Amino acid sequence: MKKTILIILAILMLATSFLPAADETTKPETDPAKDITLSAVTTYAMPLTPRAMAMGGAGIALPGRSDSFFLNPAGFAKRGQVSIPSVSVTIYHPYDLLKQDEDGTSIVDDIISGIESGDQNAYIDAGTAFLSTIKSGKGKLADVNAGVTFNFGGFALGLNVNDTLRTYGNGVGGLDAKLFDELNVTANVGLGLRLNITGGLWLDVGANFRPTYKAYTSAFGASEVLSLFSNSSDGGSSSDPMQFLMDEVPLAAGYALPFDVGLNLGSKYFSVGVVARNFNGNFKMKSFDSINDFTSNYTQSFTASDFSIKSDWQLDFGLGLQFDNAFLKPTIVADFVDIIGFADAGKIDMRTFMSHFKAGAELRILSFLDVRGGINQGYWSVGCGLDLVVLKVDLAYYWQEFGDSVGDYGLDAFTVRFNIGYDR
């Protein structure tokens, strides 16, 4: 058994030595999507469930559940799981949506007023107020995530689609900021294996190959979008927002073939997890003049517009505690992510430490109600879940850091997820 463990550890260590040479992000001057801000694009998709986000984004050492597809593939070895499907919607800036102005009304109140009165101008006013909350730098407005996952006997398959409306204000915010849409489609093929060691101690090992296809539009002004809807609603212009999106917005699209490997060492109550993720994660991209150009000419050669996006691999570490009795099941987790980036930071202080630290807890009550809380890079998170056998509903309210360091630009978000299947 010891020999088997040493062989597995050697394989995982050897994988890091065969990393492909990562090309620097390049984008030629002939790129028709030259207005796209690459620094605001997520290099690889990691859509966590509201359960994980409510627990501070932590959970590397927790075995099982659909989060194994993006947190730690060693979790595939624990138990069966199926989601057919899971759908989640996230709204960013919810505090700004609900905050009342001097007149005692909020953006949500304006939207409800527009619905009740049928006045499209009310929607425009609400949209203007909402977009005015955008701050300088990169952020998000909303995203939709849908997936189908299956895990049985250690073998895992999954397909995940994530569409995000992102914001980018290069020194500006509000209606002067830029918007762009990013789509990630990720397939998952994973394998997990449990090795029983001795005295109730076990070792889970797993790997997940997740080819990802990415497409994102060029940046367009927030005020430009409002003007299109305003013109189309008052009859003063023949501008069609959908036609504008299809005909005039450049985009880039391409793929990467990353894989993750992970370990979980644990017993009945305690577990330690390590995962090395995003090997071979560089994206090979092409640029197109518009979405119509993409759909009609994708098979043609666009070598003059080819470029790449560098996506580094990452090493993460996690701890987990789980207790179980007839009525209550508490779980406590703590993760330290991007260990290599932390070591390369050049200084060790509390601010740097917190930028890599995540922790959370969950209390399951009577096997159907979950209450959660956590901390992610210094920001708090809360959530809950309702398990109705084949239907699960999860809610989470949390903050994420979008700046270069902790405290630069914290953005709040609210996520609701519906899952049909078995995911415990």
Side-chain angles (χ1 to χ4, degrees), residues 37-353:
T37 307
L38 289 180
S39 62
V41 173
T42 301
T43 53
Y44 64 95
M46 190 177 172
L48 299 183
T49 66
R51 183 204 186 209
M53 295 309 300
M55 298 170 68
I60 290 172
L62 290 183
R65 297 206 179 185
S66 57
D67 278 314
S68 299
F69 284 89
F70 293 99
L71 274 176
N72 187 350
F76 295 149
K78 174 63 170 67
R79 59 173 77 114
Q81 176 274 326
V82 61
S83 296
I84 50 171
S86 64
V87 178
S88 64
V89 177
T90 301
I91 300 295
Y92 294 83
H93 307 259
Y95 175 78
D96 292 320
L97 282 170
L98 297 172
K99 182 175 61 177
Q100 294 183 343
D101 57 20
E102 296 178 354
D103 297 330
T105 61
S106 66
I107 297 175
V108 172
D109 292 330
D110 294 336
I111 295 174
I112 295 175
S113 175
I115 295 175
E116 293 176 345
S117 64
D119 182 7
Q120 294 188 18
N121 288 326
Y123 296 117
I124 302 300
D125 293 340
T128 301
F130 183 45
L131 294 176
S132 297
T133 65
I134 300 173
K135 298 180 181 179
S136 174
K138 57 186 178 181
K140 296 180 181 179
L141 284 184
D143 69 50
V144 177
N145 189 84
V148 177
T149 57
F150 169 85
N151 174 28
F152 184 75
F155 180 69
L157 290 174
L159 179 66
N160 187 271
V161 180
N162 181 270
D163 187 74
T164 303
L165 182 60
R166 294 183 172 271
T167 66
Y168 187 83
N170 189 11
V172 297
L175 295 180
D176 293 324
K178 300 292 185 181
L179 309 178
F180 68 94
D181 190 72
E182 179 186 353
L183 175 70
N184 286 281
V185 180
T186 305
N188 292 271
V189 180
L191 185 64
L193 175 65
R194 168 158 293 189
L195 304 174
N196 293 308
I197 302 176
T198 182
L201 193 66
W202 45 259
L203 175 68
D204 289 344
V205 296
N208 186 25
F209 175 55
R210 46 182 182 83
T212 301
Y213 191 84
K214 178 190 298 294
Y216 59 95
T217 67
S218 65
F220 44 89
S223 57
E224 187 176 9
V225 175
L226 285 175
S227 66
L228 283 170
F229 282 94
S230 178
N231 289 336
S232 61
S233 65
D234 61 19
S237 170
S238 60
S239 298
D240 182 353
M242 183 57 67
Q243 183 177 356
F244 166 79
L245 179 65
M246 298 297 294
D247 295 342
E248 300 183 31
V249 178
L251 79 156
Y255 68 93
L257 302 173
F259 67 93
D260 310 325
V261 291
L263 295 172
N264 265 342
L265 178 66
S267 61
K268 182 178 180 180
Y269 302 111
F270 180 76
S271 58
V272 179
V274 179
V275 58
R277 69 178 82 257
N278 207 43
F279 292 131
N280 195 41
N282 295 334
F283 281 86
K284 299 180 180 179
M285 308 292 292
K286 292 180 182 292
S287 298
F288 301 88
D289 291 319
S290 67
I291 296 179
N292 281 331
D293 183 46
F294 164 77
T295 57
S296 60
N297 296 317
Y298 182 74
T299 57
Q300 298 182 14
S301 174
F302 283 81
T303 56
S305 298
D306 288 357
F307 64 101
S308 63
I309 301 178
K310 179 183 177 181
S311 182
D312 294 327
W313 74 288
Q314 182 172 306
L315 182 65
D316 301 338
F317 171 80
L319 298 173
L321 286 170
Q322 293 189 90
F323 304 93
D324 197 0
N325 60 45
F327 302 101
L328 301 175
K329 183 178 180 180
T331 299
I332 302 172
V333 291
D335 292 355
F336 196 77
V337 300
D338 192 15
I339 298 173
I340 296 175
F342 177 75
D344 291 340
K347 63 176 181 179
I348 306 300
D349 55 23
M350 182 56 66
R351 189 184 184 94
T352 306
F353 175 84

Side-chain angles (χ1 to χ4, degrees), residues 362-385:
E362 175 186 70
L363 180 62
R364 166 154 281 211
I365 305 171
L366 298 176
S367 300
F368 73 92
L369 178 63
D370 299 312
V371 181
R372 303 163 183 139
I375 184 171
N376 183 357
Q377 295 184 312
Y379 295 100
W380 55 268
S381 59
V382 294
C384 61

